[in-house]
Amino acid sequence: MISTPNKWYSSVTRYQWLVLVVASLGWIFDAFEGQIYNLTRADMLPDLLHVKADDPLVKLWGERFLGIFLIGGTFGGLLFSSLADKWGRNPVMALTILFYSVFSGITAFADQIWQVGALRFLVAMGVGGEWAVGAALVAEVFPKEARERAGGIFHATSVAGLWLAAAAGLWVGTEWRTAYLLGVAPALLVLWVRLSIKEPESWKAARETKKERMGSFGELLGDARWRSRAVFGAMLAMVGLATFWGVVVAGQDIAADFLKRANDPDWASKSKIAFGFIQTAGAGAGMVAFGPLAARWGCKKTFVVMHIAALIMTPIVCWLPSQVNSYAVLLVLLPMFGFFAQGIHAGYAAYFPALFPTHLRATGSGFCFNTGRLLAAPVLIWLSAWMKSTMDLRMAITCLGGFFLLGLVFLALLPETHGEELPE
């Protein structure tokens, strides 16, 4: 009799599924808090700057706040990921969720532009920290044969957060303050986290034997093996985050630009739907697909394929719809663009935790993802802001898409982790 191989999920326990659900909910609301700004800034910034919606200051400050968000995410990510290795996964995950929920809600009462900048920085601290804790927790709890798929599912659930943000943006219309009040809701998740999540056995064992080294940036960057992985992992994340905020979320701007050229009076709502639902559906499919592809090819090869495809799709989605003068073509291309350009992000949750030992796992993962935010910030604050305010939007996004090519260089300098046990 020929035996059939077990399904990847056959050895996954009920508690392991619970961990994935709780970690994913934290990441869903994490994505909501990040994306609600992108969907409300067209109303919020003119209101606080006291200018018209088409004033160049709106676009300039819009890109600057994205940069500030990346810097805040870096600071919070480095701080909270190190604390997660020192204090444990449970208390730090709860703390990061409180951070992004409370400060998002306070944004509803901002009446000056600097207040928004300060609050976005604080929201980003929680956002940056929560991802590292959740990614490390999922990697540690799931068995080796399910780790890549579980990590991919964890990151892919961010699409639900994007959809929630898109729905909230459409529901509140121009009442942007209401959208930020909704951001307080995730705070209710904290109690569930505290009651349901246990510290992984691997973390408990590491704490007993390596108490003084838990979450040590000195060891992370002092040991040549971990330093190399941390540095090039951060550079890989920089490519993904710079292209996400500079290129991927510009799908809404591409749709708005096309509709404005066509003199469509409903350009604002249609562009939100095009990005928030249609493109994001493709992005979700890409992130869900990353895990199974990585389980077959390995993370590195999957990253390479998606970076090359995203590099090709960026100029196509920018230029082809206007060349054929078809909004339907744009709606077909946007999910394909999102599949590759955003699909790569699921790989970070599957790949980064597998690069580092238990006592540095959240610290290393957080360093990669959040240093990537810091390195991406200048791209948005200066390069992207300057290009989008002085060039044809389609040309600016096409040029920024060139960063996908740079990602291939950093991938060549990182190891493959497919089929290996987590480092101890």
Side-chain angles (χ1 to χ4, degrees):
M1 174 181 271
I2 299 175
S3 61
T4 57
N6 291 330
K7 298 292 186 181
W8 69 270
Y9 49 80
S10 60
S11 61
V12 178
T13 67
R14 181 176 296 181
Y15 174 72
Q16 288 165 343
W17 285 122
L18 174 65
V19 168
L20 181 59
V21 169
V22 174
S24 296
L25 282 172
W27 181 229
I28 285 170
F29 291 120
D30 185 316
F32 174 90
E33 304 293 5
Q35 193 60 28
I36 199 65
Y37 163 76
N38 188 57
L39 291 165
T40 59
R41 63 178 180 171
D43 299 308
M44 177 176 67
L45 295 179
D47 186 11
L48 296 178
L49 290 167
H50 307 293
V51 297
K52 293 182 178 179
D54 58 356
D55 192 290
L57 278 176
V58 173
K59 189 173 289 186
L60 182 63
W61 278 100
E63 295 297 315
R64 284 177 175 172
F65 281 157
L66 289 178
I68 288 171
F69 191 82
L70 293 182
I71 295 171
T74 301
F75 183 76
L78 295 177
L79 172 64
F80 290 124
S81 61
S82 179
L83 291 178
D85 281 333
K86 295 178 188 297
W87 296 352
R89 314 316 191 201
N90 181 306
V92 177
M93 178 177 284
L95 182 59
T96 58
I97 293 170
L98 278 178
F99 239 76
Y100 67 59
S101 302
V102 171
F103 290 116
S104 179
I106 294 174
T107 305
F109 303 99
D111 57 11
Q112 295 185 47
I113 199 71
W114 70 266
Q115 294 171 344
V116 174
L119 289 166
R120 291 305 292 169
F121 182 91
L122 294 168
V123 169
M125 284 184 62
V127 166
E130 192 281 334
W131 181 89
V133 183
L137 183 63
V138 170
E140 289 169 338
V141 168
F142 272 76
K144 178 179 66 176
E145 61 272 14
R147 190 176 66 220
E148 289 159 330
R149 288 182 172 88
I153 292 170
F154 162 70
H155 200 102
T157 57
S158 64
V159 172
L162 301 181
W163 280 336
L164 284 174
L170 289 172
W171 180 61
V172 303
T174 60
E175 299 298 322
W176 60 269
R177 295 181 188 275
T178 305
Y180 288 96
L181 284 175
L182 295 174
V184 178
L188 299 175
L189 179 61
V190 169
L191 182 60
W192 194 21
V193 171
R194 294 295 287 158
L195 292 176
S196 62
I197 299 300
K198 299 177 292 185
E199 297 300 338
E201 292 302 320
S202 59
W203 179 83
K204 292 180 182 178
R207 184 182 58 176
E208 293 299 320
T209 59
K210 301 177 181 179
K211 187 173 183 180
E212 300 302 322
R213 299 159 59 194
M214 298 292 284
S216 169
F217 284 106
E219 182 175 353
L220 179 69
L221 300 177
D223 185 303
R225 183 185 180 190
W226 311 133
R227 179 175 63 244
S228 174
R229 295 180 177 200
V231 169
F232 293 118
M235 298 302 289
L236 179 63
M238 179 274 290
V239 169
L241 291 160
T243 52
F244 176 76
W245 292 108
V247 179
V248 176
V249 300
Q252 180 174 334
D253 297 327
I254 293 170
D257 181 71
F258 181 94
L259 292 166
K260 286 178 182 178
R261 292 173 187 269
N263 297 315
D264 191 317
D266 296 326
W267 65 267
S269 60
K270 285 185 177 179
S271 61
K272 287 182 180 179
I273 293 171
F275 169 74
F277 292 99
I278 296 173
Q279 179 180 315
T280 300
M287 288 191 284
V288 169
F290 194 101
L293 291 175
R296 175 174 298 217
W297 299 339
C299 281
K300 280 187 65 174
K301 184 181 246 185
T302 307
F303 270 128
V304 168
V305 170
M306 286 199 163
H307 275 75
I308 292 173
L311 180 69
I312 294 170
M313 282 301 305
T314 300
I316 291 175
V317 79
C318 285
W319 296 99
L320 183 59
S322 58
Q323 292 297 313
V324 298
N325 195 29
S326 172
Y327 188 56
V329 169
L330 177 62
L331 295 182
V332 170
L333 291 174
L334 282 174
M336 296 169 61
F337 168 63
F339 183 95
F340 297 111
Q342 193 171 341
I344 59 175
H345 287 242
Y348 305 143
Y351 187 52
F352 292 158
L355 293 175
F356 305 102
T358 301
H359 67 290
L360 297 174
R361 184 156 297 127
T363 304
S365 300
F367 181 90
C368 289
F369 197 64
N370 293 292
T371 301
R373 293 179 191 266
L374 181 64
L375 296 172
V379 177
L380 297 171
I381 294 175
W382 293 298
L383 182 62
S384 179
W386 171 74
M387 292 176 71
K388 290 179 180 178
S389 62
T390 60
M391 299 170 61
D392 182 292
L393 178 68
R394 296 166 297 179
M395 179 59 71
I397 295 170
T398 299
C399 292
L400 290 169
F403 274 88
F404 288 115
L405 186 61
L406 190 59
L408 301 178
V409 176
F410 303 131
L411 281 166
L413 299 169
L414 285 162
E416 180 57 76
T417 59
H418 180 57
E420 298 183 1
E421 298 289 349
L422 293 175
E424 293 298 336

